[in-house]
Amino acid sequence: MLKEILKQYQIPGMLTMNNGETCTTKEMWEIRRKEILTLFAKEVYGEMPPAPEHVTFTVKGCWENQIQGKARIRKIEASFMTPSGPFTFPFHYYEPVADHPVPAIVFLQFAEHPVYCSFPVETIMEKGFAVAVLNYDTIQADRYDFAQGLAGMYITGASRWDDLCADTYAQNMKRGETQWGFIGAWAFAASRIMDYLQTLKTIDKTRIAVMGHSRLGKTALWCAANDERFRLAAISASGCSGASLSKMKDDTCERIGQITEVFPYWFSRRWPSYAGREKEMPFDQHWILGAIAPRSFYICSGSEDSWAGPHTEYLCAVAANEVYHMLGMEGLLHPDRMPEAGDIFAQGSAAYSMHKGTHYLGQFEWNNVMEYMENMR
Ligand code: GTR
């Protein structure tokens, strides 16, 4: 049944290489994966600058014996050079008291949408997971303004940002056609936290995830697709331009035209040109989800989250199986039907869950993701 639906929407396969050959091996996939990343950098999210040569981490605060003796907490500042000078951002790091290396989650957090996603820190500590929490606002305030935050610091051009401050359109146009937008900048910051986790002996480096909800679900997707140190991307309600099929969007869902009208600055300047042309697009979002393979993703949907399109998220995950199967892996193990509220498909090398309700990331998702990671050994 699901195969027929994917066929009906003409969801394109991702295994034809740029030179026309079919990708059939692990070695070919390494090349094909890079081709897909390049395509999505240019057309969808904008190009990521290279990682900085040095990142300095400064401990700004350290609290032992916290959360009823279960954890220690640190406030860290990460600093690195950009083409426009140094950039510094803070994050909080919670580590459970343990006598063995623990798995970790980089959690991308909203400052102003607390109802959107919860962060059950006590449960996380009890289950023995470290968590680094990044407030996305500290990288880039979420308004159409490249004169503030990280993204603009990598965009150099003829005029200075302060000449353009009042004119967001001019700022956007100063950006090269394929230069990055804010999703790229948030994802880049998550990778800098990964740099920090790499320095810790207390972390199990084989089990580090990046997790985010909604626009930060899109960010977790883009981050993990690029940064192979992440073993898992936990992607909640990422909807349009995230882990969901653009070609399947109906009138109930957000479409490329809607998202790029309100948030053009999240994406490459080319992405708006696909609005209304979804049917003609030679690719779809399962390609970038597939670019996480052979590592894993965990897609989380809400049954009543129609704007994000839970059915389009689910089928995106199903369509990404193409690459896992080519690699001889199970991929997402799922029944041949659409999902229902309460479903958890977490037995394979990728996972999917659907909570009952609207746009939210909460206890259900955290428990599912941690349980999945516990089994990843
Ligand atoms: C919406 C946007 C969605 C989603 C959401 C969010 O307005 O159109 O795609 O990203 O914001 O991040 O909260």
Side-chain angles (χ1 to χ4, degrees), residues 262-301:
V262 186
F263 303 111
Y265 54 92
W266 289 356
F267 302 101
S268 157
R269 273 179 49 205
R270 286 197 184 159
W271 191 226
S273 71
Y274 289 90
R277 292 173 44 218
E278 285 84 346
K279 284 212 169 79
E280 299 155 36
M281 276 173 29
F283 61 92
D284 208 330
Q285 295 295 121
H286 61 304
W287 288 26
I288 194 64
L289 186 59
I292 294 173
R295 296 163 296 129
S296 303
F297 60 76
Y298 201 131
I299 304 292
C300 313
S301 302

Side-chain angles (χ1 to χ4, degrees), residues 110 113 116 136 142 183 186 213-218 237-242 254-255 258-260 262-263 266-267 307-308 359:
F110 296 99
H113 299 288
Y116 260 17
Y136 84 139
D142 199 352
I183 287 178
W186 294 320
H213 174 66
S214 208
R215 68 200 69 183
L216 296 177
K218 306 184 216 300
S238 61
C240 179
S241 312
E254 182 179 34
R255 291 194 162 114
Q258 288 157 319
I259 198 167
T260 56
V262 186
F263 303 111
W266 289 356
F267 302 101
W307 187 240
H359 199 57

Side-chain angles (χ1 to χ4, degrees), residues 12 17 29 98 115 123 163 179 202 207 257 298 301 311 332 367:
M17 319 267 300
W29 173 242
V115 290
T123 313
D163 300 334
Q179 274 185 305
T202 44
R207 284 188 297 155
Y298 201 131
S301 302
H311 57 300
L332 175 71
N367 286 342

Side-chain angles (χ1 to χ4, degrees), residues 38 40-41 76 138 141 143 154 223 237 246 260 263 272 305 337:
T38 303
F40 276 75
I76 310 287
T138 60
R143 56 170 195 271
Y154 279 90
C223 173
S246 304
T260 56
F263 303 111
D305 189 4
R337 62 162 173 82

